[in-house]
Amino acid sequence: MQISIIDAFTDRPFAGNPAAVCLLPDGDWPAEQWLRQVAREMNLSETAFVRRLPDGDWALRWFTPMTEVPLCGHGTLAATHALRTKELVAAEPVRFHTLSGVLTATPRPDGRIGLDLPTAALTGTAIPDGLVEALGSPVLSCRDTGGLGILVAELGSEHAVRGLAPDLAAITRQPARGVAVTARAEDPEDGYDFVSRYFAPAAGVAEDPVTGSAHTALVPFWAERLGRTELTGYQASVRGGLLDCRLLGDRVRLAGHAVTVVEGTLRARPW
């Protein structure tokens, strides 16, 4: 089986968010235990498993080193890039059947890949006990995202977001799979409207470099506050990444480049 490491939401190696993409043979899914073992072996924030369906669409699942997740933007971007690079898709857009329904990925003339993802359902919620202490920063407001499992925490400034050094053990005790912290950009001339970081130590990801799934919540959050549906987000991790974002009702469209860094063969077969 072919396996690749692809940097997503970047146009150069060693930036953006790396994902492993494993191309499975046609047929049923391998045992879930095997999928989890491969993801732990790759030890990246996501490993995407892709297999062809009889109708020409693709089935797609995403695993962190510890768990399967319902949605992963950078894993979807990386999977699309892998299929296109290997010339395994003839029709566009590429259609993926996932735990979050059918997702589409469309190559653009400028080389980016556009993703069509479901908008997260945001609900205002009280600031959970221990969150301020876990982050080491005051929190202005919080939003719950339901089944997405991400808690959105608004901080007072971009400086506060960039300067966080959270207590990761304390974050694992929060009532969510991960915590996305965000603030308005201090200077729109920098080329983005809002900034964010994402921590999910309970899922085996201390800090995710660039998180597409979190932006399905961040985009409607900031679209309401800024009064615009077309936005640019910057995820201020060490690797960093810009995301072009557009809110279309119950869908969020993200776009970014991807770069293949490693190509290999997975010899640990599941049968």
Side-chain angles (χ1 to χ4, degrees), residues 48 60 62 71-81 96 98 103-105 113 115 117:
L60 174 61
W62 313 277
L71 181 64
C72 177
H74 88 278
T76 306
L77 182 60
T80 307
H81 176 79
F96 294 105
T98 78
L103 311 181
T104 60
I113 295 171
L115 303 179
L117 307 175

Side-chain angles (χ1 to χ4, degrees), residues 66-253:
M66 294 182 65
T67 188
E68 185 171 11
V69 297
L71 181 64
C72 177
H74 88 278
T76 306
L77 182 60
T80 307
H81 176 79
L83 294 177
R84 294 183 65 231
T85 300
K86 300 175 189 301
E87 299 183 347
L88 294 175
V89 288
E92 297 171 343
V94 184
R95 288 167 49 89
F96 294 105
H97 295 252
T98 78
L99 289 176
S100 292
V102 176
L103 311 181
T104 60
T106 307
R108 296 185 175 182
D110 62 2
R112 294 181 301 167
I113 295 171
L115 303 179
D116 182 78
L117 307 175
T119 303
L122 297 180
T123 304
T125 185
I127 298 171
D129 292 341
L131 179 63
V132 170
E133 293 77 11
L135 294 176
S137 171
V139 175
L140 300 183
S141 68
C142 282
R143 298 291 187 277
D144 180 73
T145 60
L148 187 60
I150 294 174
L151 180 70
V152 176
E154 181 190 8
L155 304 190
S157 69
E158 178 177 340
H159 177 76
V161 171
R162 288 179 176 270
L164 282 185
D167 180 341
L168 296 177
I171 286 181
T172 64
R173 297 191 287 272
Q174 288 299 305
R177 177 169 54 86
V179 177
V181 296
T182 188
R184 184 179 302 197
E186 291 180 359
D187 185 357
E189 295 299 320
D190 288 336
Y192 50 88
D193 301 293
F194 63 90
V195 65
S196 67
R197 291 172 69 187
Y198 180 62
F199 307 98
V205 182
E207 180 172 1
D208 197 35
V210 190
T211 314
S213 59
H215 280 75
T216 67
L218 294 169
V219 172
F221 178 86
W222 286 110
E224 179 181 1
R225 293 192 165 225
L226 299 178
R228 291 186 284 115
T229 57
E230 295 190 21
L231 303 164
T232 300
Y234 179 69
Q235 192 152 335
S237 64
V238 172
R239 294 170 67 104
L242 282 171
L243 298 91
D244 292 327
C245 314
R246 186 177 183 187
L247 179 64
L248 295 171
D250 64 352
R251 310 296 291 184
V252 168
R253 291 187 179 174

